[in-house]
């Protein structure tokens, strides 16, 4: 183990998260050992466990950090085409999913029953739905029906992405087109989807 560098608690925690993120992205969840994280971070196992009591706690922190960064990159500006912004947001998520396949599969399959991980996923989906709805100016029943459609669409896209990562039956372009088309179809059943989403690419 290399000599430990003096870092503040916040800096040390960030370093441990960065190491954990790299390992979870590179290996299946069951193959990542806390000992490996400690070794690559240049700290003792005792110190690592002071920050994260177990592997699931470390993974949850890594996944929360990734979710926060994805949300930071998917702000919705009411002054621009909603379709174009949703398209860009999809690409941002697809980029992360493709680069962190093992992490995404761990969260959505290996740890599918973990309440902490599921809370992170649910919070992200709820925030994405809230932002999109906030940019629509819809009110009353139209807003309620659009909210239900958006929630169902976000769950659909996540499930589709997990299947894409697992089986690779779709190309990246097909995944994108299917996701956008599904949103148009879901919204178009109850509101004027073309007027709401716009046509910008």
């Amino acid at each position: 183990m290399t000599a430990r560098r003096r870092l503040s608690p916040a800096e040390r925690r960030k370093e441990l998260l960065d190491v954990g993120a790299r390992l979870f992205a590179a290996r299946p969840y069951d193959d990542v050992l806390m000992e490996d994280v400690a070794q690559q971070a240049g700290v003792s196992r005792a110190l690592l466990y002071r920050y994260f009591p177990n592997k699931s706690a470390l993974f949850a922190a890594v996944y929360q950090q990734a979710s926060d960064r994805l949300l930071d990159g998917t702000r919705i500006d009411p002054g621009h085409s909603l379709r174009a912004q949703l398209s860009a947001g999809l690409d941002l998520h697809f980029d992360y999913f493709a680069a962190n396949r093992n992490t995404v599969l761990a969260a959505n399959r290996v740890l599918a029953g973990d309440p902490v991980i599921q809370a992170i996923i649910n919070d992200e989906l709820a925030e994405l739905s809230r932002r999109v709805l906030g940019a629509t100016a819809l009110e009353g029943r139209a807003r309620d029906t659009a909210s239900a459609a958006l929630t169902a669409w976000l769950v659909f896209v996540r499930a589709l992405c997990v299947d894409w990562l697992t089986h690779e039956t779709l190309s990246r372009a097909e995944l994108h087109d299917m996701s956008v088309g599904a949103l148009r179809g879901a919204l178009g059943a109850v509101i004027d989807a073309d007027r709401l989403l716009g046509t910008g690419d």
Side-chain angles (χ1 to χ4, degrees), residues 10-25:
E11 290 171 331
R12 180 67 68 190
R13 186 176 190 277
K14 181 182 182 304
E15 180 179 63
L16 293 173
L17 284 175
D18 289 345
V19 171
R22 289 199 302 272
L23 287 176
F24 285 124

Side-chain angles (χ1 to χ4, degrees), residues 3 12 22 29 31 57 63 68 70 73 165 167 170 176 179 193:
R12 180 67 68 190
R22 289 199 302 272
Y29 179 82
D31 292 348
Y63 207 70
D68 292 342
L70 287 170
L165 293 175
H167 304 296
L170 298 171
H176 185 280
S179 297

Side-chain angles (χ1 to χ4, degrees), residues 35-177:
E35 291 84 350
D36 296 336
V37 177
Q39 182 179 40
Q40 291 204 20
V43 303
S44 67
R45 283 184 294 176
L47 180 59
L48 173 60
Y49 282 113
R50 277 173 49 192
Y51 285 87
F52 304 102
N54 50 50
K55 184 168 72 170
S56 62
L58 173 60
F59 183 87
V62 166
Y63 207 70
Q64 181 67 69
Q65 177 177 261
S67 178
D68 292 342
R69 288 175 176 170
L70 287 170
L71 286 173
D72 284 343
T74 50
R75 303 285 178 185
I76 303 294
D77 183 349
H80 292 84
S81 161
L82 187 54
R83 181 185 184 278
Q85 293 179 86
L86 288 174
S87 179
L90 284 171
D91 283 334
L92 181 70
H93 278 73
F94 295 163
D95 286 344
Y96 175 79
F97 289 171
N100 297 273
R101 177 181 178 275
N102 287 313
T103 305
V104 175
L105 292 179
N108 290 275
R109 293 213 159 166
V110 180
L111 299 174
D114 186 300
V116 176
I117 299 301
Q118 291 313 302
I120 294 170
I121 292 173
N122 291 338
D123 288 347
E124 180 184 332
L125 297 182
E127 177 60 18
L128 287 170
S129 179
R130 185 193 68 78
R131 290 180 184 181
V132 174
L133 278 175
T136 65
L138 293 173
E139 297 179 351
R141 184 176 181 278
R143 185 182 181 90
D144 292 341
T145 54
S147 176
L150 278 169
T151 299
W153 175 70
L154 288 167
V155 173
F156 166 78
V157 170
R158 181 169 288 271
L160 193 63
C161 286
V162 171
D163 186 79
W164 170 57
L165 293 175
T166 304
H167 304 296
E168 299 181 0
T169 52
L170 298 171
S171 69
R172 168 74 177 259
E174 289 171 333
L175 178 67
H176 185 280
D177 290 346

